[in-house]
Amino acid sequence: MVKRKEQKEYIYWTDKIAQDVVEREKKLKRKIKVFRTESGVGASGFPHVGSLGDITRAYVVAIALKDIGVKSEFIAYSDDRDGLRKVPLTLPDSLEKYIGVPVSATPDPFKCHNSYGEHMRSLMVDAIEKVGIEYTLQSATKNYESGVLDDAIETILMNAEKVGLIAKRLTGQEKFIETLPYFPVCENCGKMYTTRSYELVKKKHKVLYVCDQEFKGKNLNNGKEIVIKGCGHRGEASYFKGEGKLSWKPEFAARWKSLKILFEPFGKDIRDSVMVNDAICKEVLDFEPPLHIMYEMFLDKGGKKISKSYGNVFTPQVWLKYGNPQSLTLLMLKRFEGTRELDVTDIPKYMDELNTLDKIYFGLENITDEKELHNLRRLYEYSHFLKLPSKLSLHINYDSWIELAKILPEENELEFIVNKLKEWKKLNNITNKSKKIIGERIGFAKNWYEDFVKVSEIRPALNEEHKFVIHELINAIKEEDDGERLQARIFDLVNKHKLDMKEFFKTVYQILLNADKGPRLGPYIIERGKEEVIAKIKAAL
């Protein structure tokens, strides 16, 4: 890992946050035994890659804290007390009747978990574990019911007017000026967002409420707006027994205080809520709120926010079908400012970028700027959660793995690949570790080939002029062993026959890579293997 001496001069963002957290606690003189970071785990829809971004950024700060010698813990906080607001795409319309009901009390439409919320949480937990994140899971429902949040809830309700004025001051919202910031679950209809708390009964730790509000949800399968109206019931709810939940504005503050959270990242879309909760922490709960970083959203290639409810969900499980956990972590940590468009086609790029970082880390690529070198090395280390390989890994670009996947024999896959890698001078001896890496990488490539290449392979239409020049290209390949010299000969051939350079290269890329563009052709052909390339070109003629 990067030496401490280097860290004093150049500091990576995770290390800076960890140092800031520790220094702040020294100034506050709080007796914090475990430095906790936190991220919410949504339970109201399908988790997507962006959801994992929140979690990864919070986790690496916990690692950074541990790396500087303090005890730390990452809390994955399941928001399973939230009410269902939408019927996500592809889920049954029967969920409409549960809009407004806590997701922990909504049946699982897949019938494999105790509730809808538990099912959705399990998908994110599965992704967390596959990526290698170590976490402590906290359930909002269990915390409300077991009393973990009791003191904070009561303090907030006793200062409800002050909480409402804070929200008005910072956002202009007046919703909680006259009502208590607590949603009971109606004991008559089971809905949450249709209730209105109007009186605190502190001696009984209860609120009095009436179910008389209107709430609008939506069925995203048909675009229908679902209007939920209160049933008119009047009742009382114990906030010490979890018979409701705080509104979103003070809820973050309550859990930060109760769990002593010192760092939590947040998305730009909830900036106002975080700002209000920070103020409630300070002015109502007498607790210095967590340090934060704000990041922006992942968008799909059409520029729309990737959503757990809409049809553009890009799940971590999809990424891990085609790329390794470190490439996914690299995506999250590379930068967090500015929106980024993302879809499955970006996976090969991040796999190849991880190869480049590997070479930089082990000194095979020279970076002259010391600050840049430090940041790239630290990015590599945190992409591996500081559990680093002892030596350089196999460095083969993703396209080459796909080409291997195309020509794999039905038997003796490993022997075939090893021989090919030796031909390409990428492997001198095979160890158990290299076998594991080969198996992993070819597995990703096989999935990619089956799902994206095989089903839509390009069949280039070769005119007679191109065919004639391609025959000459075959001869050039046979005669040259140096990639750069071969690249020059290809240019000479195209110029000699006065062909359109762009169109000719496009044709060759379609033959070799099933794509319109690709790496520098000469070096790629030599790296891939002349005999294999010639065989593929001849098959297309």
Side-chain angles (χ1 to χ4, degrees), residues 122-335:
S122 73
L123 297 176
M124 180 51 79
V125 167
D126 173 70
I128 291 171
E129 292 178 348
K130 284 179 176 174
V131 169
I133 290 172
E134 298 174 3
Y135 65 98
T136 298
L137 184 66
Q138 294 266 359
S139 160
T141 297
K142 288 183 179 178
N143 282 347
Y144 274 109
E145 291 174 349
S146 66
V148 170
L149 306 173
D150 282 358
D151 288 345
I153 293 172
E154 190 156 82
T155 301
I156 286 168
L157 294 180
M158 288 174 61
N159 292 274
E161 184 177 358
K162 189 173 184 179
V163 168
L165 290 172
I166 289 171
K168 181 181 178 181
R169 183 183 83 218
L170 296 176
T171 68
Q173 292 182 349
E174 298 185 359
K175 183 175 181 179
F176 294 109
I177 294 292
E178 296 180 357
T179 63
L180 299 171
Y182 189 85
F183 291 114
V185 177
C186 178
E187 59 187 341
N188 182 56
C189 67
K191 305 291 184 182
M192 180 189 296
Y193 300 131
T194 53
T195 58
R196 173 174 55 88
S197 297
Y198 61 87
E199 185 177 333
L200 174 68
V201 186
K202 187 191 170 188
K203 286 185 178 180
K204 294 183 178 180
H205 309 299
K206 291 182 177 182
V207 295
L208 303 183
Y209 71 89
V210 57
C211 185
D212 65 352
Q213 300 296 292
E214 185 175 285
F215 167 68
K216 293 180 181 179
K218 197 168 188 179
N219 184 338
L220 298 177
N221 291 298
N222 52 29
K224 183 172 71 173
E225 186 176 77
I226 312 295
V227 179
I228 307 297
K229 295 184 178 181
C231 66
H233 177 76
R234 288 182 177 271
E236 57 183 36
S238 170
Y239 53 82
F240 268 20
K241 293 181 180 178
E243 294 176 354
K245 73 181 289 290
L246 287 167
S247 73
W248 205 18
K249 285 295 188 282
E251 187 175 46
F252 287 171
R255 77 192 201 199
W256 291 340
K257 168 69 180 286
S258 302
L259 299 177
K260 293 183 173 57
I261 301 300
L262 304 185
F263 170 76
E264 179 161 6
F266 67 90
K268 187 177 181 179
D269 57 334
I270 63 167
R271 176 170 50 187
D272 286 353
S273 289
V274 172
M275 182 170 57
V276 171
N277 276 279
D278 279 352
I280 292 170
C281 260
K282 292 179 180 179
E283 299 174 35
V284 176
L285 296 177
D286 193 27
F287 180 78
E288 191 67 23
L291 287 177
H292 303 291
I293 55 168
M294 185 179 75
Y295 56 87
E296 295 193 52
M297 302 295 102
F298 286 115
L299 309 177
D300 67 13
K301 293 296 186 182
K304 295 181 180 179
K305 176 185 171 183
I306 293 175
S307 166
K308 59 189 175 185
S309 299
Y310 288 89
N312 62 347
V313 174
F314 179 14
T315 69
Q317 285 84 353
V318 169
W319 186 290
L320 295 172
K321 184 178 180 182
Y322 309 109
N324 62 17
Q326 293 75 31
S327 65
L328 181 51
T329 307
L330 173 63
L331 166 74
M332 305 306 175
L333 302 183
K334 187 177 177 182
R335 66 181 175 90

